[in-house]
Amino acid sequence: MNIRRAAPVSFTALAAVSALLLTACGAKDDAGSTTGSGSVRVVAAFYPLKFVAQQVGGPEVRVTNLTKPGAEPHELELQPKQVAAVADADVMVYLKGLQPAVDKAVHLEKPDHVVEASELSPLEEHGDEVDGHSGHDHGGGDGHDHSAEGGGDPHIWLDPTRLATVAVGVGETLAEADPAHAADYRARAADLKTQLDGLDNEFRTGLASCERHEFVTSHAAFGYLAERYGIDEIGVTGVNPDSEPSPARIADLQKLVKDRGVTTVFFETLASPKTAEALARDTGATAAVLDPLEGIKDESKADYFSVMRANLDALRKALGCQ
């Protein structure tokens, strides 16, 4: 039987219907990847924010990640049960502009407590110029936009000090949502900040003395990391890992890699490596993984810290660091 609707169903209506179906039928919750058994319901938009929520929330929280393991977060479309999860969240943790569907759900469903990560660590503009500068845009490159809805580079979690700032903010919001455990949240947030500050020191020390300072990556996600540690990212494409570079861009990159002795072209785990592998093959460079940590396929085998340390090892090898 075909049923036609005269008007689109609202997010609020979808959430309500989904909640009723779950209650009536005892259906399995597929709102996302959920961990923990605490009573405080936390919804995180994608992996790094989910990791922070878990670490800071501890046993008091149950965290749902709207972006399932191994999925690319940039083009997430929410299912009704996911909208319902946003509506029912005690705390919502997201980054405005990265995932428009999440932005819309938060705006319409108005969860009780919200952490918007870029309010804690403001976004910056980063260029992906062919001239090798990965800091603020100097006008080079081929015009790739790798901002969050034009508002700046969203990949703040790749600078551990910025993620530490977000962790402290999550701790304060959890303390407000669940005052009985406020001291526990703040203590765990402080502990995570200490760990992230230690990781920052590992990167500063590990990248302090290198033969080269430029690296090529298929996805221009590492602007904050490059800026923090004094190295230069050269992005094949912008923020969208599925976008395709123009032939002129490829030609410019081939020349740059050869002229500057770049040894490694990095690709990531959640997108096709074909362009990076072709660029490496054409220039005699090596293709290797540099993970932007937008999602982890198997969280039983890796977490934020292990992947970041693997990234540090990969960069040290590519840059010839002492």
Side-chain angles (χ1 to χ4, degrees):
M1 178 174 65
N2 294 324
I3 300 176
R4 295 185 180 273
R5 301 292 184 190
V9 180
S10 70
F11 268 40
T12 302
L14 286 173
V17 170
S18 177
L20 287 171
L21 288 173
L22 285 171
T23 301
C25 303
K28 182 180 178 181
D29 181 8
D30 63 355
S33 173
T34 301
T35 57
S37 57
S39 61
V40 179
R41 296 165 298 186
V42 180
V43 175
F46 60 104
Y47 174 75
L49 300 181
K50 180 246 190 178
F51 176 77
V52 168
Q54 276 186 300
Q55 297 299 306
V56 176
E60 283 76 43
V61 303
R62 182 172 71 255
V63 183
T64 297
N65 183 6
L66 294 177
T67 306
K68 296 181 179 180
E72 219 296 320
H74 288 273
E75 298 178 0
L76 175 68
E77 296 294 337
L78 296 182
Q79 300 301 311
K81 290 179 182 179
Q82 293 174 299
V83 178
V86 173
D88 292 340
D90 296 309
V91 176
M92 177 72 206
V93 187
Y94 79 116
L95 198 163
K96 187 176 182 180
L98 181 65
Q99 297 167 296
V102 176
D103 296 353
K104 183 177 180 181
V106 172
H107 174 72
L108 293 176
E109 304 305 333
K110 296 178 172 56
D112 290 341
H113 298 86
V114 175
V115 179
E116 199 283 282
S118 71
E119 290 183 353
L120 300 167
S121 181
L123 306 187
E124 297 179 0
E125 297 288 347
H126 290 133
D128 58 346
E129 297 85 7
V130 172
D131 66 10
H133 296 287
S134 61
H136 298 286
D137 192 353
H138 303 292
D142 64 351
H144 289 302
D145 175 15
H146 62 80
S147 62
E149 294 296 298
D153 180 355
H155 301 89
I156 54 175
W157 61 89
L158 290 167
D159 175 346
T161 65
R162 285 176 171 268
L163 192 63
T165 300
V166 173
V168 172
V170 170
E172 290 301 314
T173 302
L174 283 169
E176 181 182 340
D178 181 19
H181 298 99
D184 295 324
Y185 296 131
R186 289 181 175 124
R188 285 192 288 264
D191 180 64
L192 180 56
K193 182 180 184 303
T194 297
Q195 294 181 60
L196 289 165
D197 288 344
L199 181 65
D200 172 57
N201 186 61
E202 291 178 39
F203 268 82
R204 284 191 291 109
T205 301
L207 298 174
S209 180
C210 305
E211 295 177 13
R212 295 171 292 278
H213 295 89
E214 297 166 321
F215 65 101
V216 174
T217 177
S218 61
H219 178 195
F222 299 89
Y224 292 103
L225 185 151
E227 183 177 63
R228 177 73 181 169
Y229 304 113
I231 55 180
D232 290 318
E233 174 190 47
I234 304 164
V236 175
T237 66
V239 71
N240 184 351
D242 294 323
S243 62
E244 292 293 333
S246 67
R249 178 68 163 181
I250 291 295
D252 286 339
L253 287 166
Q254 289 173 337
K255 184 175 187 304
L256 184 148
V257 168
K258 292 176 180 178
D259 290 350
R260 303 191 186 181
V262 173
T263 65
T264 309
V265 177
F266 288 111
F267 62 92
E268 63 175 273
T269 54
L270 299 183
S272 172
K274 290 182 179 179
T275 300
E277 289 175 339
L279 179 60
R281 184 172 58 252
D282 292 343
T283 58
T286 299
V289 171
L290 197 64
D291 195 328
L293 264 163
E294 293 172 343
I296 291 180
K297 292 181 179 179
D298 187 349
E299 293 176 31
S300 68
K301 297 180 180 179
D303 67 3
Y304 176 86
F305 283 101
S306 65
V307 174
M308 283 294 283
R309 290 186 173 112
N311 283 343
L312 175 56
D313 289 343
L315 285 168
R316 282 177 50 80
K317 182 178 179 180
L319 299 177
C321 302
Q322 302 300 315

